Amino acid sequence: MINYDKISGNKKPECVKDDGPIREPIVKLAKMITDRPAQHLGLKKITKDDPEYWGLAALISDEEAELASKLGVRKPKTFEEIHKLSGMSEEHCRKLIDHMSEQGILEYNWENLDGTNPKNEKRYIVPMFVPGVGEFAAMHETNMSEHPELGRFFERMTFLPLENVTKIVPPGGAGVGMHVIPVEQAISMEETSISVEHISHWLQKYEGKYAASPCSCRKSNCSYDEGCADDFNDWCIAVGDMADYVVETKKGGRYISKEEALEIFKKAEDNGFVHQITNIDGEQKIFAICNCNVNVCYALRTSQLFNTPNMSRSSYVARVKKENCVACGRCVEYCPAGAVKLGQKLCKADGSEVKYPKSSMPSLEKWGSEKWDIDYRDNNRINCYETGTAPCKTACPAHIAVQGYLRLAAQGKYKEALELIKRENPFPAVCGRICNRRCEDACTRGNIDQAVAIDEVKRFIAQQDLDSDRRFVPDKVIPKVCGEFEEKIAIIGGGPAGLSCAYYLAIKGYSPTIFEKERRMGGMLTNGIPSFRLEKDVVEAEIDVLKELGVQFRCGVEVGRDITIPELREQGFKGFYLAVGLQSGGELDISGADANGIISGIDFMRRVNLGDAVELKGRVVVIGGGNIACDVARTAIRLGADAVDMYSLEEYEKMPCGEEDRSECERDGITIHGGWGPISVSKNEGNCEAISFRKCLRVRDDEGRFAPKFDDNDRVTAKCKAVIYCIGQKVEWGEILEGTDVELNANGTVKADPITYQTDEPDIFVGGDVYTGQKFAIDAIAAGKEGAVSLHRFVQPRSSLTIGRYRRNFVEFNKKDMSVNEESFDNSPRERIGYNEALARTFKDERISFTEEQVKKETSRCLSCGASIVDENKCIGCGVCTTKCGFDAIKLYREHPECSNMVPSEEKMRHIIPYAIKQAVRVKIAGKKG
């Protein structure tokens, strides 16, 4: 059901305080300006509850309203003409006109486009409410702070006059509102375009007359806590006489050069904003080129909410060349209209292609409010069709564009491949060595023979990031025209989640500070993983990128002990990210566990990695079957243990560590025992002597919950000098949370919102294992990116943490219902890494990564099974998608030339009425055929 309460009505803000009698001059002016037919024609009275009234009442006096009412709407007059009409003294008339110009009730220009101003005299105009009074009032430097209701006034005047009209507005907009103009580079030279479709045309037309000015939509949304976290300044480029107006009348405008204007347009495109031009004066005139964020833009809302894209769309539509597409998802993430979603290339098992739905349109069927998309800002962020897309991207917690970087690597474009990976994962060299490879587990190729060796290809690509001369440092994409954001953000914990959060905040234009209690950054990457798996210079090289981006590091500082969160607030920090991880291995809860020689794997690895003297003798038993247990067992061998035995609850083939880690343990001479749970430790004079196990019959119950079941009659005992247990981790909070209202779960993890990760303390967000419980580095990295999104939105005043947020909910297509032409792909076997035997049982990484030849062979095995799909009925032809595609897969085509028809607002009914009649006939005929 549609919740009309969310959008309908006058929405009079509580801040409007008007206890006096109704001001008739305000009513008169409101009636003259409004585009609501019933109110304009006097069929319905304007009351104090109407936005036309309380909006104007906040801006001008009754005397000014009387004067404005004498001018008519959009009927230019010189000062002399106005003075003559006013009956006032010249000085007083000038004072009122200047004040009304500042307030946005009047605009002015010197143009002679229609031949009625041959002397190019300065003429004043009472504009529409929108585009016009609403924007100008919101742009004013102090109006919004003194009268916050003006934000809602502007919003209402973009909604109420249009709710029953948009469905019958013809392509091109018929002189209503704004009009999308494509990214210029997206218009192909092969396409026959016309001048008004090019930004360069308008810049040339108004040569030398440009002013960057505040975005009134961005400001307006903040007035009712739905801001998008962009800095609102400078996004709207006023042109011609309007440039003078926004500079001279306290609208926050500043003159800029053409080069500066082009830089702003480029920055807007980088951010995924849509170019729009004013569309109420015909093809000879515009007064602004805006750079619009769909989460706040009222012009884009008009077509998106009412589900009528013809209202503002350009003449172009995007189409995808499937053969070029790699389902990287960049076009999907940035499409403002939600017109592009991820789908698949492969046919279904019966050989048919998947059919993707198209949105209906008013020209195709009867249209009413039931067709509206009230939650369009969230629905436009749905990124995948229900039938699904490439499993590798779906399975990866960070949703890296696997198919894309494999294609680039196949072409030898390693730098471009690295750039693509680092859009979702700042630490590809790290993950190329320690990732648990869920992408490979899900790989479609695995249904045919063996999965593509994705992680090894990633490691090869990422190797160049370790060389400072070839390192990829991303460009910052900042939703702010001038400079970077100044708000201070503290990240507590320098592990993968904290580092990832810092990386993405830095790209967004912040200089976050990471507080790490250890003497070096990296968390478990440096203190928990052995060097033979992840050499520390690899971690340091990737952390160096953060330094180049401006991230601040404070090592050896324990928050809660050395400095508290309340003290950091006093220092000006506006937001906090808790990412301290699970630093403790807990206790082994069996009899005899207090014996000398019993230690948790986490503590053991921390001591080794921090350089403490650790020596092992005799036989060592390692408890656990995961990656940490494997690391611990292999480390124990390297530290002098005579022999190492691993005991896992899971059976051998089901051990969580996976086949590769397990086989590397066995290469080191470690004996693995699957299906055993510890029950007691035997001691001799306080020292560990042996440990006993009982047979584990199952690890989880039928619902998949951890519920081990044992056979007490089947036991074994292993003699040993030491037991290192890897059976879970927990948080050590210390005093970090002192002075906060952060709440914890029973297991010690933090309670937080599942979408925003905001805790009960509004300025504190959380991520990584301290929120989810024990997971992998790639999960923490993905969490860090989401943390950065939330923190950016939080520290920018009055912004929404959720509206229009890219939810990253991917669906895997049904691999059982697909067909593959085996002649269409390389049928070579999976490539394997080698080992440097000279480094066996040392703390150097003995694995030999792929050669370039192996990379070529392995990438050729990818089935390239995902693709982007465009719903042409939703596409608004902005071209943003084309700026994000690195594969020449999505382009604009000029298929709707009628959408470039620009007519003056005064002629709108001449175009709307005939179109509405034709549309009604078409719908009626279509209904009969249906």
Side-chain angles (χ1 to χ4, degrees):
M1 296 292 291
I2 295 177
N3 183 4
Y4 295 103
D5 292 339
K6 293 175 64 175
I7 57 170
S8 62
N10 289 330
K11 292 187 179 291
K12 183 178 180 180
E14 292 182 3
C15 62
V16 177
K17 306 297 182 185
D18 183 3
D19 299 326
I22 195 164
R23 296 164 58 188
E24 291 300 335
I26 299 295
V27 173
K28 182 180 177 181
L29 180 60
K31 178 177 180 294
M32 183 181 84
I33 298 177
T34 188
D35 273 330
R36 286 205 279 176
Q39 284 80 358
H40 184 67
L41 296 173
L43 302 176
K44 191 172 183 179
K45 285 187 176 182
I46 288 179
T47 71
K48 292 172 72 173
D49 290 330
D50 288 310
E52 293 97 329
Y53 179 86
W54 45 259
L56 288 178
L59 292 169
I60 54 173
S61 67
D62 289 358
E63 184 181 26
E64 289 169 325
E66 289 280 13
L67 179 57
S69 296
K70 295 177 180 180
L71 306 187
V73 178
R74 285 170 55 85
K75 295 178 180 178
K77 291 179 175 61
T78 64
F79 172 76
E80 288 73 19
E81 291 172 322
I82 297 173
H83 178 226
K84 185 176 181 180
L85 281 172
S86 72
M88 304 172 183
S89 69
E90 182 175 332
E91 181 182 359
H92 188 58
C93 185
R94 173 70 66 188
K95 181 179 178 182
L96 296 187
I97 287 176
D98 288 346
H99 181 255
M100 285 193 286
S101 297
E102 288 182 1
Q103 294 297 89
I105 300 300
L106 296 179
E107 61 173 284
Y108 53 72
N109 60 59
W110 295 263
E111 64 193 21
N112 183 35
L113 295 177
D114 59 0
T116 61
N117 190 22
K119 297 181 180 179
N120 294 106
E121 296 178 275
K122 185 177 184 179
R123 298 193 298 179
Y124 295 84
I125 303 165
V126 175
M128 304 172 172
F129 276 131
V130 177
V133 176
E135 285 95 332
F136 301 148
M139 289 165 65
H140 190 280
E141 292 173 356
T142 59
N143 266 350
M144 292 286 279
S145 58
E146 295 175 356
H147 298 284
E149 67 267 28
L150 291 174
R152 182 61 78 179
F153 158 65
F154 176 32
E155 182 273 330
R156 285 292 81 190
M157 299 324 298
T158 64
F159 178 88
L160 296 174
L162 294 170
E163 59 184 328
N164 296 314
V165 175
T166 54
K167 63 184 179 182
I168 56 173
V169 172
V176 179
M178 305 282 288
H179 181 71
V180 170
I181 187 168
V183 173
E184 186 140 345
Q185 70 186 59
I187 301 176
S188 170
M189 295 293 290
E190 288 78 33
E191 293 290 333
T192 304
S193 62
I194 59 175
S195 59
V196 298
E197 296 167 357
H198 294 261
I199 287 178
S200 59
H201 163 76
W202 297 109
L203 292 178
Q204 184 176 354
K205 183 179 181 67
Y206 296 102
E207 188 72 47
K209 263 298 187 67
Y210 323 111
S213 57
C215 170
S216 48
C217 291
R218 287 173 171 89
K219 290 185 70 176
S220 170
N221 276 257
C222 285
S223 72
Y224 50 91
D225 299 323
E226 290 189 9
C228 62
D230 300 346
D231 179 85
F232 59 75
N233 288 301
D234 296 338
W235 287 117
C236 289
I237 311 301
V239 296
D241 295 342
M242 182 58 66
D244 293 323
Y245 176 73
V246 299
V247 171
E248 296 171 356
T249 59
K250 297 183 180 179
K251 303 297 189 301
R254 62 181 180 89
Y255 291 115
I256 58 173
S257 65
K258 180 185 286 188
E259 289 70 28
E260 288 175 296
L262 291 171
E263 287 176 10
I264 292 173
F265 294 138
K266 175 61 169 59
K267 181 166 282 196
E269 291 162 11
D270 291 343
N271 277 278
F273 301 154
V274 178
H275 304 314
Q276 291 193 96
I277 55 177
T278 50
N279 191 32
I280 60 174
D281 293 294
E283 63 182 17
Q284 293 304 312
K285 176 186 175 183
I286 64 171
F287 54 79
I289 307 172
C290 295
N291 297 295
C292 305
N293 185 325
V294 69
N295 288 338
V296 292
C297 176
Y298 297 135
L300 289 173
R301 180 184 70 167
T302 301
S303 60
Q304 297 294 296
L305 188 153
F306 299 122
N307 208 5
T308 53
N310 274 351
M311 176 79 190
S312 60
R313 73 189 301 177
S314 79
S315 294
Y316 296 81
V317 67
R319 293 189 185 280
V320 174
K321 290 183 178 179
K322 269 191 177 183
E323 63 271 21
N324 291 359
C325 184
V326 295
C328 70
R330 296 271 292 155
C331 57
V332 177
E333 183 175 356
Y334 281 92
C335 176
V340 194
K341 293 184 176 67
L342 288 174
Q344 68 182 68
K345 285 182 187 175
L346 301 180
C347 293
K348 299 168 71 173
D350 62 5
S352 64
E353 291 193 3
V354 177
K355 299 295 183 183
Y356 295 100
K358 288 187 178 181
S359 300
S360 187
M361 300 179 75
S363 57
L364 302 175
E365 61 180 276
K366 189 175 181 181
W367 210 256
S369 56
E370 73 282 354
K371 301 292 186 182
W372 295 355
D373 187 0
I374 293 173
D375 295 318
Y376 72 95
R377 292 176 293 183
D378 293 329
N379 293 336
N380 283 356
R381 299 300 91 213
I382 296 172
N383 52 21
C384 194
Y385 283 101
E386 292 179 1
T387 48
T389 190
C392 54
K393 185 174 180 67
T394 301
C396 173
H399 306 296
I400 299 170
V402 173
Q403 192 176 318
Y405 75 73
L406 292 180
R407 171 77 66 85
L408 290 168
Q411 298 170 350
K413 298 178 179 178
Y414 304 123
K415 183 177 181 180
E416 291 88 342
L418 179 63
E419 179 179 355
L420 188 59
I421 294 170
K422 294 188 79 169
R423 294 193 184 281
E424 306 296 345
N425 177 4
F427 309 110
V430 168
C431 287
R433 289 158 169 81
I434 64 169
C435 191
N436 67 323
R437 306 181 179 191
R438 276 170 272 181
C439 55
E440 294 186 19
D441 292 340
C443 178
T444 308
R445 182 68 188 244
N447 281 35
I448 298 172
D449 43 33
Q450 290 181 303
V452 177
I454 296 168
D455 211 43
E456 293 301 336
V457 174
K458 179 170 62 186
R459 176 174 177 173
F460 176 90
I461 293 167
Q463 195 66 30
Q464 62 187 304
D465 212 32
L466 306 183
D467 184 340
S468 60
D469 294 332
R470 296 185 298 170
R471 186 168 296 148
F472 172 70
V473 180
D475 293 330
K476 296 185 178 184
V477 180
I478 307 172
K480 183 178 182 180
V481 170
C482 295
E484 300 189 1
F485 292 109
E486 297 178 354
E487 288 79 7
K488 295 170 68 175
I489 297 174
I491 296 169
I492 304 171
L499 291 168
S500 176
C501 182
Y503 176 89
Y504 289 108
L505 282 171
I507 291 174
K508 191 67 81 172
Y510 294 88
S511 296
T513 301
I514 304 179
F515 294 86
E516 168 57 54
K517 71 176 183 179
E518 302 291 356
R519 58 179 179 261
R520 61 183 178 182
M521 289 288 159
M524 295 303 292
L525 301 178
T526 51
N527 300 326
I529 299 173
S531 294
F532 58 81
R533 279 245 292 153
L534 180 60
E535 293 179 327
K536 304 317 166 194
D537 59 345
V538 172
V539 184
E540 290 167 3
E542 296 203 299
I543 290 176
D544 282 344
V545 174
L546 275 71
K547 294 178 182 176
E548 293 190 47
L549 288 169
V551 176
Q552 306 296 309
F553 298 101
R554 292 187 62 184
C555 295
V557 178
E558 184 174 346
V559 176
R561 185 189 67 182
D562 302 318
I563 193 168
T564 66
I565 288 177
E567 288 171 341
L568 288 171
R569 288 191 183 114
E570 291 176 4
Q571 293 181 13
F573 285 91
K574 302 297 184 183
F576 301 86
Y577 189 62
L578 285 178
V580 296
L582 308 178
Q583 317 97 317
S584 172
E587 297 180 358
L588 183 62
D589 190 18
I590 59 176
S591 65
D594 59 345
N596 296 326
I598 311 294
I599 187 173
S600 75
I602 294 297
D603 293 335
F604 171 74
M605 291 307 306
R606 181 180 290 110
R607 288 174 58 190
V608 173
N609 283 312
L610 289 176
D612 296 343
V614 180
E615 185 178 352
L616 294 175
K617 293 182 179 179
R619 182 175 292 273
V620 174
V621 167
V622 175
I623 302 173
N627 304 90
I628 294 175
C630 292
D631 290 345
V632 165
R634 298 181 68 201
T635 300
I637 281 287
R638 285 158 174 77
L639 290 175
D642 294 341
V644 177
D645 290 86
M646 276 180 65
Y647 285 83
S648 166
L649 274 182
E650 296 84 4
E651 292 292 343
Y652 181 86
E653 294 292 341
K654 296 181 180 180
M655 290 173 65
C657 61
E659 183 271 334
E660 185 167 318
D661 275 4
R662 193 175 61 223
S663 65
E664 288 179 344
C665 283
E666 291 173 332
R667 288 183 75 254
D668 282 343
I670 296 162
T671 304
I672 298 175
H673 309 267
W676 297 97
I679 50 176
S680 64
V681 172
S682 301
K683 295 187 287 186
N684 181 11
E685 297 182 354
N687 298 317
C688 174
E689 185 177 58
I691 182 169
S692 297
F693 296 87
R694 56 181 173 171
K695 189 64 179 175
C696 181
L697 301 177
R698 73 168 191 199
V699 178
R700 299 184 180 276
D701 62 19
D702 293 340
E703 282 73 44
R705 293 171 298 197
F706 183 73
K709 184 177 180 180
F710 299 97
D711 181 356
D712 286 321
N713 296 317
D714 189 356
R715 300 190 178 200
V716 296
T717 298
K719 290 186 176 182
C720 58
K721 293 291 185 180
V723 173
I724 309 175
Y725 57 92
C726 308
I727 54 174
Q729 299 165 243
K730 66 179 184 179
V731 191
E732 285 186 350
W733 282 112
E735 300 175 15
I736 295 175
L737 301 179
E738 291 294 322
T740 75
D741 290 329
V742 173
E743 291 191 24
L744 303 180
N745 296 302
N747 65 354
T749 57
V750 177
K751 290 182 179 179
D753 183 272
I755 294 174
T756 67
Y757 306 104
Q758 186 178 40
T759 69
D760 291 318
E761 189 81 45
D763 62 352
I764 298 179
F765 296 79
V766 66
D769 289 357
V770 77
Y771 171 71
T772 61
Q774 187 175 348
K775 285 199 172 184
F776 296 88
I778 189 64
D779 297 277
I781 288 166
K785 184 172 187 178
E786 290 302 308
V789 172
S790 289
L791 281 159
H792 165 57
R793 287 173 174 238
F794 177 80
V795 301
Q796 296 308 313
R798 310 196 71 176
S799 298
S800 169
L801 292 178
T802 59
I803 291 175
R805 188 180 181 120
Y806 192 51
R807 297 296 174 85
R808 303 175 70 78
N809 295 323
F810 294 86
V811 180
E812 178 182 304
F813 71 69
N814 183 0
K815 289 182 287 189
K816 294 181 180 179
D817 185 18
M818 59 122 192
S819 62
V820 177
N821 179 2
E822 297 195 13
E823 296 179 358
S824 66
F825 64 87
D826 193 301
N827 59 7
S828 58
R830 176 179 167 124
E831 292 293 314
R832 299 288 178 178
I833 61 170
Y835 292 90
N836 183 346
E837 296 299 334
L839 299 178
R841 292 200 177 192
T842 72
F843 278 94
K844 292 290 186 180
D845 190 348
E846 63 182 312
R847 294 170 294 180
I848 301 173
S849 59
F850 279 179
T851 64
E852 189 167 13
E853 183 181 356
Q854 284 182 294
V855 167
K856 298 290 186 189
K857 289 181 179 179
E858 193 59 26
T859 52
S860 69
R861 299 180 66 244
C862 175
L863 300 178
S864 191
C865 49
S868 292
I869 311 293
V870 177
D871 180 349
E872 296 163 18
N873 288 354
K874 284 185 73 69
C875 178
I876 59 175
C878 65
V880 167
C881 56
T882 68
T883 70
K884 307 305 173 186
C885 180
F887 300 88
D888 197 32
I890 190 164
K891 294 184 177 181
L892 291 186
Y893 299 87
R894 192 171 185 266
E895 298 186 0
H896 303 287
E898 68 277 11
C899 286
S900 287
N901 294 334
M902 299 176 68
V903 299
S905 178
E906 287 73 17
E907 299 178 13
K908 61 188 173 188
M909 299 313 296
R910 287 179 47 203
H911 296 268
I912 289 175
I913 291 173
Y915 180 80
I917 294 171
K918 291 179 182 178
Q919 178 174 283
V921 172
R922 284 197 303 269
V923 170
K924 188 172 183 178
I925 293 173
K928 288 181 178 180
K929 289 182 178 179

